[in-house]
């Protein structure tokens, strides 16, 4: 083809070096669906379903549905739904991770914000729509405590078995813990307000004044927290992303007694983008049904077998919902990827405190359920002392097995207190 004034200076490869045409919207969609250069749909779903032995527990998904609709014993309904959520939580994490690998860092952050705590959101919404306000509150609080105490503590313990000390970016950790502290304070203020206003209105018998005030404070605070969380995502992913990068020179100078752990190459996605998206949607829908079955059986199970409802919401549900995250965090800590460990543990807690809890308040506002940020005084104190301990331990940018033991011990003490509450 002879050159002319209209000939482009830069040519693409659509026509073997000749000027190519711009793909239409339908052509781009077909190209994405075909997933050229990525694992095929068959390979993607084969890995997704058969890639882990944990997926054997998916057999409990139909069992939980059968037990619910045939009204089997409450313990069976609770146990089947409880076990079914374990592989579903892992599948949600797998699908999100593969989508993140294909979409890049920014979209990865948005996906992790939306689906990283999908099980908590689903369980929370199911409990909220059934009027189980206490289950919503205790499951949210339990997710925060399990991440910053149990998971972070186990990660520090695991890292301590490999090296004497582990280091991480202290500035990024402090920024995350500061937001965690703010979210904690937003739970303390409603408790302080309720205590004060109750003393004032007690002589008049106007109990509705305290409830109206709590609703106004909680809904206004929820909106502001969602805004702050959006700003934190921008801070973490864009404006100050360098703070969350690994400092290899400092890590190498500190870990003099470290047992060498080989760095693993970056893994390729095991699923193509559209198949991961479809899997994410399907698993989310299935999880919503299992969560609904689980919440529906809590009341009867707690009464018949004398298990405190607060213990179920605070300890059992979060451990199941975050099972996949727990394993990932400990494994990353053993491989000396402490920045990623801190992000998983503290970041997940921030997602719950500054995103999921305010979201539950807004959903309750829309659906007519009066969910507030007022937690019981004992629960608020447990969260407050936990955040103080975590802030104290991570402020030096180093960790060891003793710090991990302190965190796990505090979690065990809180679990024991809620068991006898």
């Amino acid at each position: 083809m002879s050159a002319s004034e209209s000939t482009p200076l830069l040519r693409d490869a659509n026509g073997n070096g000749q000027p190519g045409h711009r793909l239409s919207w339908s052509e781009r969609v077909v190209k994405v669906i075909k997933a050229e250069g990525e694992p095929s749909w068959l390979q993607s779903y084969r890995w997704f379903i058969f890639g882990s032995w944990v997926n054997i527990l998916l057999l409990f998904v139909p069992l939980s549905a059968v037990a619910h609709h045939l009204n089997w014993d409450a313990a069976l309904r609770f146990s089947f739904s409880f076990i079914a959520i374990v592989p579903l939580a892992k599948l949600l994490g797998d699908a999100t991770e593969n989508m993140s690998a294909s979409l890049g860092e920014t979209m990865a952050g948005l996906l992790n914000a939306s689906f990283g705590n999908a099980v908590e959101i689903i369980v929370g919404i199911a409990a909220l729509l059934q009027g189980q306000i206490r289950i919503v509150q205790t499951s949210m609080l339990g997710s925060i405590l399990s991440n910053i105490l149990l998971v972070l503590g186990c990660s520090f313990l695991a890292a301590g078995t490999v090296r004497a000390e582990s280091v991480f970016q202290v500035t990024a950790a402090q920024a995350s813990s500061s937001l965690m502290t703010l979210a904690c304070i937003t739970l303390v203020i409603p408790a302080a307000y309720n205590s004060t206003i109750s003393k004032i209105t007690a002589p008049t018998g106007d109990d509705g004044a305290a409830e109206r005030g709590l609703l106004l404070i909680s809904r206004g605070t929820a909106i502001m927290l969602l805004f702050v969380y959006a700003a934190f995502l921008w801070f973490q992913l864009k404006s100050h992303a360098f703070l969350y990068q690994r400092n290899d020179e400092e890590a190498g100078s500190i870990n003099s007694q470290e047992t060498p752990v080989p760095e693993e190459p970056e893994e390729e996605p095991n699923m193509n983008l559209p198949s991961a998206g479809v899997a994410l949607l399907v698993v989310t829908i299935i999880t919503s049904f299992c969560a609904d079955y689980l919440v529906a059986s809590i009341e009867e199970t707690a009464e018949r077998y004398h298990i405190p409802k607060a213990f179920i919401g605070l300890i059992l549900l979060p451990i199941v919902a975050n099972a996949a995250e727990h394993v990932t965090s400990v494994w990353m800590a053993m491989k000396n990827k402490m920045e990623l460990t801190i992000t998983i543990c503290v970041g997940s807690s921030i997602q719950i405190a500054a995103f999921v809890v305010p979201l539950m308040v807004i959903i309750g506002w829309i659906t007519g359920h009066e969910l507030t940020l007022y937690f019981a005084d004992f629960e608020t104190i447990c969260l407050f002392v936990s955040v103080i301990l975590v802030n104290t331990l991570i402020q030096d940018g180093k960790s060891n097995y003793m710090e991990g033991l302190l965190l796990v011990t505090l979690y065990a003490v809180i679990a024991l207190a809620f068991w006898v509450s």
Side-chain angles (χ1 to χ4, degrees), residues 132-145:
Q132 298 275 5
I133 302 298
R134 288 292 297 147
I135 292 296
V136 176
Q137 291 183 323
T138 54
S139 64
M140 296 298 107
L141 179 63
S143 294
I144 297 173
L145 294 179

Side-chain angles (χ1 to χ4, degrees), residues 369-400:
H369 295 83
E370 297 183 349
L371 175 64
T372 69
L373 295 177
Y374 169 59
F375 287 63
D377 294 341
F378 177 63
E379 296 165 4
T380 305
I381 292 172
C382 288
L383 176 61
F384 190 72
V385 298
S386 300
V387 171
I388 289 177
L389 179 60
V390 172
N391 286 345
T392 302
L393 295 182
I394 68 175
Q395 64 183 357
D396 60 349
K398 303 174 186 177
S399 72
N400 52 59

Side-chain angles (χ1 to χ4, degrees), residues 291-302:
D292 190 62
Y293 303 152
L294 179 65
V295 172
S297 63
I298 287 178
E299 186 82 31
E300 186 178 350
T301 302

Side-chain angles (χ1 to χ4, degrees), residues 42 60 88 108 131 217 222 243 259 266 285 296 332 369:
L42 180 60
F60 286 92
L88 292 174
I217 292 174
L243 294 178
T259 301
E266 187 172 343
I285 294 173
M332 291 300 104
H369 295 83

Side-chain angles (χ1 to χ4, degrees), residues 150-163:
L150 179 62
V151 185
L152 188 60
C154 290
S155 299
F156 284 176
L157 275 172
T161 63
V162 179
R163 62 192 65 85

Side-chain angles (χ1 to χ4, degrees), residues 160-184:
T161 63
V162 179
R163 62 192 65 85
E165 275 192 339
S166 300
V167 298
F168 46 86
Q169 274 284 7
V170 62
T171 307
Q174 288 177 342
S176 299
S177 63
S178 297
L179 180 54
M180 188 69 244
T181 304
L182 171 64
C184 176

Side-chain angles (χ1 to χ4, degrees), residues 1 20 73 75 77 95 103 111 144 151 154 167-168 177 192-193 203 229-230 254 266 284 315-316 367:
M1 179 183 294
D73 183 77
R77 288 185 278 127
L103 295 176
L111 278 172
I144 297 173
V151 185
C154 290
V167 298
F168 46 86
S177 63
Y193 169 82
Y229 182 71
I254 291 292
E266 187 172 343
T284 300
I315 304 299
L316 297 183
T367 59

Side-chain angles (χ1 to χ4, degrees), residues 73-79 132 134-135 138 294-313 316-317 418-419 421:
D73 183 77
L76 289 177
R77 288 185 278 127
F78 178 83
S79 301
Q132 298 275 5
R134 288 292 297 147
I135 292 296
T138 54
L294 179 65
V295 172
S297 63
I298 287 178
E299 186 82 31
E300 186 178 350
T301 302
E303 292 180 0
R304 179 175 297 184
Y305 297 95
H306 307 291
I307 303 174
K309 289 179 63 176
F311 183 84
I312 294 176
L316 297 183
L317 294 183
F418 273 91
W419 174 259
S421 63

